[in-house]
Amino acid sequence: MLRIGVLISGSGTNLQAIIDSIESKRLKNVSIVTVISNNKNAYGLVRANNYGIDNKVISPKDFSNKDEFSRCLKDYFIEKKVDLVVLAGYLVVLNDIFLEAFSNKTINIHPSLIPSFCGAGYYGINVHEAVLYRGVKITGATVHFVDSGTDTGPIILQKAVPVLPNDTPETLQKRVLEEAEWEILPKAINLIASNKIKINDNKVIILE
Ligand code: GRF
């Protein structure tokens, strides 16, 4: 059984996609053992409560420095025996104190086709605003391992969606969420749970 800890900051629709995949048995041998948010008002905490999933707020604001916050988060995940950390709409940058403990065991979902529209400042709706401003014809989502950079770790899965002529940032965000994110995040977790992921020379190889 792969024990996952999910980090959220907001609505938690990606968390809900993981929950739904487990409930529908599409995602087997995976258990969400805890949901942690930096934001006490994150609706994702309500989603966790609805399914009786352990959840709590661990916010950098409650610590005197980032290292203490990272240590507390790391220690909690170790206490819950988490095997895989999943960032699902999580807006806090994790530092090496945390990542050393979960190296190549931390994944993130980003709402663009990395390496486009990613890195510092690219999160949430402003990713889609930048996509429309640039005038690209396809966008999508990426699941990747988290390393010490921002959106720079080895790519696991990507899925493209079209940018339509009348798209607004909101209509585009909805399509990327519904047609890409909610599909590839559970799929990536399933590949990891099935031991079908290998990293070679910082590239992900998916074993058939
Ligand atoms: C999603 O677009 C995700 O890719 C980004 O944060 C947004 C909110 O996700 N990282 P959620 O609804 O809170 O899962």
Side-chain angles (χ1 to χ4, degrees):
M1 180 68 77
L2 186 76
R3 298 168 62 89
I4 67 172
V6 184
L7 288 168
I8 61 166
S9 296
S11 53
T13 64
N14 278 289
L15 166 66
Q16 189 65 53
I18 300 168
I19 292 170
D20 294 348
S21 297
I22 293 171
E23 294 291 309
S24 66
K25 308 265 188 285
R26 288 195 315 273
L27 192 46
K28 296 186 179 71
N29 299 320
V30 173
S31 169
I32 304 173
V33 295
T34 190
V35 172
I36 304 294
S37 176
N38 61 303
N39 168 12
K40 67 182 184 334
N41 300 315
Y43 187 71
L45 293 170
V46 173
R47 297 180 195 272
N49 274 322
N50 290 344
Y51 287 86
I53 298 169
D54 170 87
N55 62 91
K56 67 189 292 185
V57 175
I58 300 180
S59 168
K61 292 182 189 138
D62 300 331
F63 296 86
S64 47
N65 59 59
K66 193 71 182 287
D67 285 359
E68 275 188 37
F69 159 74
S70 301
R71 208 165 284 118
C72 174
L73 193 62
K74 177 193 75 167
D75 291 347
Y76 190 73
F77 278 164
I78 289 173
E79 180 195 322
K80 299 299 280 187
K81 298 183 174 54
V82 166
D83 302 310
L84 178 70
V85 179
V86 180
L87 278 60
Y90 190 61
L91 298 179
V92 177
V93 177
L94 297 170
N95 74 9
D96 286 347
I97 287 178
F98 180 89
L99 292 172
E100 273 158 13
F102 291 96
S103 171
N104 289 334
K105 293 178 180 174
T106 304
I107 65 174
N108 179 48
I109 176 88
H110 181 76
S112 77
L113 295 175
I114 290 174
S116 298
F117 307 104
C118 66
Y122 284 103
Y123 56 86
I125 198 75
N126 60 21
V127 171
H128 307 293
E129 287 167 349
V131 163
L132 292 173
Y133 181 77
R134 184 64 185 81
V136 296
K137 304 308 174 192
I138 58 160
T139 186
T142 302
V143 181
H144 63 94
F145 283 106
V146 174
D147 63 10
S148 54
T150 304
D151 303 329
T152 52
I155 291 171
I156 302 169
L157 288 176
Q158 294 187 296
K159 183 168 183 190
V161 301
V163 180
L164 300 178
N166 301 324
D167 265 329
T168 64
E170 291 71 21
T171 59
L172 189 52
Q173 178 176 51
K174 187 169 181 290
R175 185 175 313 115
V176 171
L177 277 167
E178 291 175 353
E179 298 180 19
E181 297 184 47
W182 298 347
E183 178 185 318
I184 63 173
L185 185 54
K187 197 171 171 185
I189 295 168
N190 195 32
L191 287 170
I192 294 168
S194 316
N195 295 311
K196 290 194 174 172
I197 295 284
K198 244 182 71 179
I199 300 180
N200 186 10
D201 185 24
N202 217 32
K203 305 272 185 309
V204 169
I205 297 163
I206 297 177
L207 307 173
E208 290 313 318

